[in-house]
Amino acid sequence: MKTYSREYPLFSLCGLNCGLCPRYQTEGVSKCPGCGGADFYQKHPSCAVITCTLKHDRVDYCFQCSSYPCEKYRNQSDKDSFITYRNVLADFEKAKTEGLQLYKLELNEKVEILEYLIHNFNDGRRKNFYCIAVNLLSLASLKEVFQEIQNSVSGQDIDLKSKIEQVIALFETKAKFDSITLKLRN
């Protein structure tokens, strides 16, 4: 696995959006490089999904495998890790039907929004919330919230804590409207 690398580490072999994960969006030694990113094997020395693809079709994404959907995807877990697994099947379907290039463009846009939120509205305790919200909301809903943040929150002459409260409220309102729970499943 020391030689496993990928051209686009933000969307993993198993369907996670690595670019929206708190471990990818961190600084320091715990930073994950994304699936197949530089020195990936040091952070994830044994990955069953990589082992599986090396034994089977050697695909870039599990949805491209001749055995997809296998047991892993037919019986999805109701638990999350650092990142939510809720959208994996839908994201695979979108990448499959709309094409990987369009899916990557959408993911790149989400990563840019996430990085803006972390850089401008993080008090050291909000990164996980933003990662979950950006991952779970559709791009259209995310753009609505982002536009509202830029129009009504960013320019206010108030303290960071008050701005963060407004940003969180905007995300929670949109998520409730979209019937989405902005929490990891444990």
Side-chain angles (χ1 to χ4, degrees):
M1 181 136 73
K2 288 184 180 184
T3 61
Y4 184 77
S5 65
R6 296 168 53 82
E7 183 180 313
Y8 187 75
L10 300 183
F11 186 38
S12 74
L13 170 65
C14 67
L16 290 176
N17 289 313
C18 296
L20 304 179
C21 178
R23 292 219 30 229
Y24 182 86
Q25 293 293 340
T26 195
E27 302 297 325
V29 295
S30 65
K31 180 174 178 62
C32 177
C35 182
D39 298 326
F40 175 78
Y41 66 91
Q42 290 178 343
K43 301 292 181 186
H44 305 281
S46 62
C47 174
V49 180
I50 294 171
T51 301
C52 180
T53 197
L54 294 176
K55 290 180 182 176
H56 289 97
D57 296 348
R58 293 182 178 262
V59 295
D60 289 327
Y61 302 95
C62 288
F63 76 84
Q64 298 168 323
C65 181
S66 60
S67 299
Y68 180 83
C70 62
E71 186 75 20
K72 175 178 177 54
Y73 297 101
R74 283 192 304 268
N75 299 311
Q76 284 269 252
S77 174
D78 61 351
K79 297 185 183 199
D80 294 317
S81 179
F82 293 103
I83 187 169
T84 180
Y85 288 76
R86 279 182 267 181
N87 288 347
V88 167
L89 297 178
D91 290 343
F92 269 166
E93 187 60 29
K94 185 182 288 187
K96 188 172 160 181
T97 58
E98 296 177 13
L100 278 166
Q101 288 310 98
L102 284 176
Y103 185 78
K104 289 176 183 179
L105 289 173
E106 180 177 314
L107 181 55
N108 290 343
E109 198 168 348
K110 283 185 156 193
V111 169
E112 286 178 26
I113 291 170
L114 174 61
E115 290 173 350
Y116 174 85
L117 293 167
I118 292 169
H119 180 72
N120 292 287
F121 302 102
N122 186 17
D123 57 3
R125 301 179 2 218
R126 304 299 178 183
K127 180 173 52 177
N128 287 350
F129 176 85
Y130 294 141
C131 289
I132 294 166
V134 172
N135 202 329
L136 292 177
L137 288 173
S138 70
L139 183 57
S141 290
L142 185 57
K143 284 180 172 182
E144 285 179 36
V145 173
F146 187 63
Q147 188 66 49
E148 186 65 28
I149 291 168
Q150 290 184 313
N151 291 342
S152 68
V153 179
S154 291
Q156 289 186 32
D157 188 22
I158 57 175
D159 61 280
L160 179 61
K161 181 181 178 186
S162 298
K163 286 183 179 184
I164 290 170
E165 288 171 359
Q166 289 181 36
V167 169
I168 299 294
L170 288 169
F171 274 110
E172 288 175 341
T173 300
K174 188 58 167 169
K176 185 175 181 181
F177 182 81
D178 291 350
S179 300
I180 296 171
T181 303
L182 296 180
K183 291 185 179 180
L184 290 176
R185 302 165 303 165
N186 296 323

